Amino acid sequence: MVQLFKIGSGERLLILLAIFGLMQAPFLLFNDSILVQELLWIRLGERLADGWRLYAQAADDTAPIPAMMYGLLAKAGLLNFHMLRVLGSALVLSQAFWLNQMTFRYQLVSDRNYLMAFFYIIFIHTGPDAVSLSPVLISCSFLLFSLGKLFKILKDGANSDDAMVIGLWLGLAFLSYQPSLIFIFPIYISALFFSGLRINHYFLIAAATMLPLGLVYACFIYGGGSQDFKLCFFSQFRFQPFLNLAGLNIILIQAAVLLLVSIWGWAFSNQNSRVNFHRLGFNVFFFSTIAGFASLFLGNTRSTDQLLLLVPQASYFMVQFVIHSRKKLFTELAGISLAAFFLFSFYRISNPSFGKQVLQLKLFAEEPPKGFSANFQGQSLLLLDNDFRYYLHNPAATRFFKHYLSGLDKQDSRTYEGLIYWYQCLAEDPPKIIYDPHGLIPNLALHIPEFTHCYRATFYPNLYQAIPGKVFGKKNKVER
């Protein structure tokens, strides 16, 4: 099967498309369980479509570009997890063919073939959220564009325009998934060793990288919410995640396979290739491999989609191994074994029951308790906890979208500033129900008498419901 794609003909392209369709069909057509991350993206998109501002009125760590995409999909009435998976699959396929074409255009491979696209669509199956429209997947597109522009500089020579474009693509990747900024280091190192970039070009790349961020930040300075922006946006630069959807062991097992493929392909290809530009490509992708592995330890959420930043490198080195190896049977067995490993792992992880009971994964959103769903479904919810299954049938309310970013604690209700902040947030978007398993509300109700006039405790533990006809923060207004 691997040897089949060493020829870049039209029928090979059709076969590759058919293989990708067979890979994706069971997940797209028969998996009806929504991922926790997909649920959060959907709820965020709904809030943005309703006119709420990212960060300033919705405490979320999603970068601006994917957040804008989720908001636009919600505005168009297309935001559901099936659409996210379809769009994610289309983006995976476009990235695979773009990378395949880029390696041929810049002579990183000798002959036109579809090996790069084949291995890319194999390796990208690290988990179900990796083939959904995730911020990491969106960021990968811009990172691939920046690498393509880097190879143009290495091939044709340095100029200021290309240096600026590298920075802009990297800046857009940064605005899609914050930890992807780490890829500025392999780009700098590669340019330093293998290009004729002058010192001003390096400053130009850095300035262009920060330019998209600066434009977004300027909007928050002008419209308010700059402190919320800094808190939420830069919260992704942490080594201990707030939300563990996949254990570190699962992440490292798949990362180890991708790393071994990359290191083995790099070592083997360096020994067998005599083309200087090929060897230059080996080193560029090797530096990127180190950056991709380092990015696994950054971010607020630990999940399988983080492995996407290792996929282009592993695909490239596996292609080089297949091209330079004379043992066709061995390369065929190696390729089929890797395909079997990733696809088997993908569908084991994508099985909600197996993933939870055997692998201890929390990727899929479970149903909330029956007592909650039967009596409070569809009501806007202030969730003072990180148990996001309560968002499954209830839209989010107030700016406290993700509790781990709110910074709320019981001490807030004991200070004047804290009470003002609570009051403003509740009055801005009064929720219908409030779920408070950590006991933040009793102290708040004690110091804000209006709360007890607008909310009452329910039979469900730690749940408060708005009193009909009362709207918090609007004493003279009766709810209709």
Side-chain angles (χ1 to χ4, degrees):
M1 182 172 65
V2 175
Q3 304 300 322
L4 188 68
F5 298 108
K6 293 181 74 173
I7 301 175
S9 60
E11 64 270 16
R12 265 52 171 199
L13 173 61
L14 295 177
I15 293 173
L16 182 59
L17 291 174
I19 290 175
F20 181 71
L22 292 174
M23 290 178 186
Q24 294 295 96
F27 179 67
L28 294 179
L29 300 178
F30 306 114
N31 192 311
D32 290 327
S33 298
I34 186 172
L35 293 160
V36 171
Q37 296 212 84
E38 289 174 334
L39 176 60
L40 293 174
W41 299 333
I42 290 171
R43 292 293 179 243
L44 174 63
E46 291 171 348
R47 285 194 62 77
L48 298 181
D50 288 337
W52 299 101
R53 296 181 62 216
L54 180 66
Y55 306 141
Q57 294 174 313
D60 191 276
D61 45 25
T62 305
I65 290 179
M68 179 183 66
M69 295 178 67
Y70 301 144
L72 292 175
L73 287 172
K75 200 71 173 179
L78 299 175
L79 189 58
N80 57 70
F81 70 94
H82 294 295
M83 179 58 68
L84 289 175
R85 294 175 187 181
V86 170
L87 292 176
S89 298
L91 187 55
V92 166
L93 200 59
S94 63
Q95 288 175 0
F97 285 118
W98 192 92
L99 181 60
N100 195 93
Q101 181 63 23
M102 186 266 285
T103 54
F104 177 74
R105 183 191 311 126
Y106 296 119
Q107 302 175 1
L108 301 178
V109 295
S110 301
D111 302 312
R112 185 184 296 275
N113 58 65
Y114 289 116
L115 285 172
M116 186 70 69
F118 172 72
F119 284 114
Y120 192 87
I121 64 176
I122 291 294
F123 292 154
I124 210 161
H125 286 82
T126 58
D129 49 359
V131 292
S132 188
L133 191 64
S134 70
V136 190
L137 183 62
I138 296 169
S139 179
C140 278
S141 296
F142 298 119
L143 289 175
L144 291 176
F145 294 157
S146 65
L147 283 177
K149 191 58 67 173
L150 174 63
F151 281 113
K152 181 178 183 298
I153 289 177
L154 299 180
K155 182 175 182 289
D156 300 333
N159 62 74
S160 299
D161 291 341
D162 288 335
M164 176 173 285
V165 172
I166 287 179
L168 289 175
W169 284 130
L170 191 58
L172 292 176
F174 183 31
L175 284 187
S176 299
Y177 179 61
Q178 296 90 321
S180 63
L181 182 65
I182 198 172
F183 278 83
I184 196 172
F185 294 109
I187 288 176
Y188 267 24
I189 294 172
S190 300
L192 180 65
F193 288 161
F194 310 119
S195 78
L197 287 180
R198 298 188 299 273
I199 186 67
N200 63 303
H201 290 147
Y202 292 98
F203 286 110
L204 188 61
I205 291 174
T209 299
M210 293 296 109
L211 180 60
L213 176 66
L215 293 175
V216 173
Y217 184 55
C219 294
F220 279 90
I221 293 177
Y222 179 76
S226 60
Q227 292 299 322
D228 297 306
F229 172 83
K230 288 187 285 188
L231 172 66
C232 296
F233 184 84
F234 291 104
S235 67
Q236 290 278 15
F237 292 100
R238 54 178 286 115
F239 296 103
Q240 185 62 37
F242 287 120
L243 188 63
N244 286 287
L245 300 178
L248 186 60
N249 56 336
I250 298 295
I251 302 295
L252 291 181
I253 288 173
Q254 298 196 73
V257 175
L258 293 172
L259 274 176
L260 286 174
V261 169
S262 299
I263 293 172
W264 169 252
W266 174 76
F268 183 87
S269 302
N270 268 297
Q271 292 177 351
N272 290 274
S273 176
R274 296 294 179 265
V275 180
N276 288 335
F277 203 76
H278 288 185
R279 297 169 71 88
L280 185 150
F282 302 157
N283 292 318
V284 172
F285 276 97
F286 181 77
F287 297 143
S288 297
T289 301
I290 298 174
F293 183 74
S295 69
L296 296 178
F297 302 95
L298 294 174
N300 283 334
T301 303
R302 178 173 290 148
S303 191
T304 55
D305 62 341
Q306 293 175 287
L307 290 160
L308 293 178
L309 297 181
L310 278 171
V311 169
Q313 300 88 327
S315 304
Y316 174 78
F317 285 120
M318 188 63 194
V319 169
Q320 296 298 334
F321 170 70
V322 171
I323 290 175
H324 293 104
S325 176
R326 298 179 180 178
K327 299 179 180 179
K328 294 184 178 180
L329 179 60
F330 180 74
T331 57
E332 189 74 22
L333 291 175
I336 294 175
S337 299
L338 286 170
F341 170 79
F342 277 96
L343 289 178
F344 178 80
S345 300
F346 175 79
Y347 278 102
R348 290 288 83 188
I349 292 173
S350 300
N351 185 320
S353 299
F354 185 89
K356 178 186 177 182
Q357 297 173 6
V358 179
L359 302 177
Q360 306 301 313
L361 300 176
K362 302 176 183 178
L363 293 172
F364 290 92
E366 300 179 4
E367 284 286 335
K370 292 183 179 179
F372 179 86
S373 299
N375 295 279
F376 306 102
Q377 182 172 330
Q379 302 182 46
S380 61
L381 169 67
L382 167 56
L383 181 63
L384 298 175
D385 189 54
N386 295 324
D387 189 354
F388 296 114
R389 59 179 172 162
Y390 288 94
Y391 281 151
L392 195 59
H393 305 297
N394 296 76
T398 78
R399 66 179 59 196
F400 304 132
F401 180 65
K402 289 182 178 177
H403 182 65
Y404 61 73
L405 288 174
S406 68
L408 296 174
D409 57 41
K410 294 182 179 180
Q411 299 300 322
D412 292 324
S413 59
R414 298 176 183 175
T415 65
Y416 184 68
E417 294 81 3
L419 289 173
I420 292 176
Y421 181 63
W422 263 108
Y423 189 93
Q424 290 174 341
C425 293
L426 289 174
E428 182 182 42
D429 182 24
K432 295 291 186 181
I433 52 177
I434 302 172
Y435 182 55
D436 175 38
H438 302 294
L440 302 180
I441 293 299
N443 284 335
L444 181 70
L446 183 64
H447 294 89
I448 303 181
E450 185 180 349
F451 185 90
T452 58
H453 297 157
C454 298
Y455 290 93
R456 62 188 177 194
T458 67
F459 67 90
Y460 193 87
N462 303 310
L463 188 70
Y464 301 85
Q465 187 176 36
I467 298 173
K470 301 289 186 179
V471 180
F472 186 88
K474 301 174 183 179
K475 298 180 180 179
N476 298 321
K477 182 177 179 180
V478 177
E479 185 182 28
R480 297 182 183 275

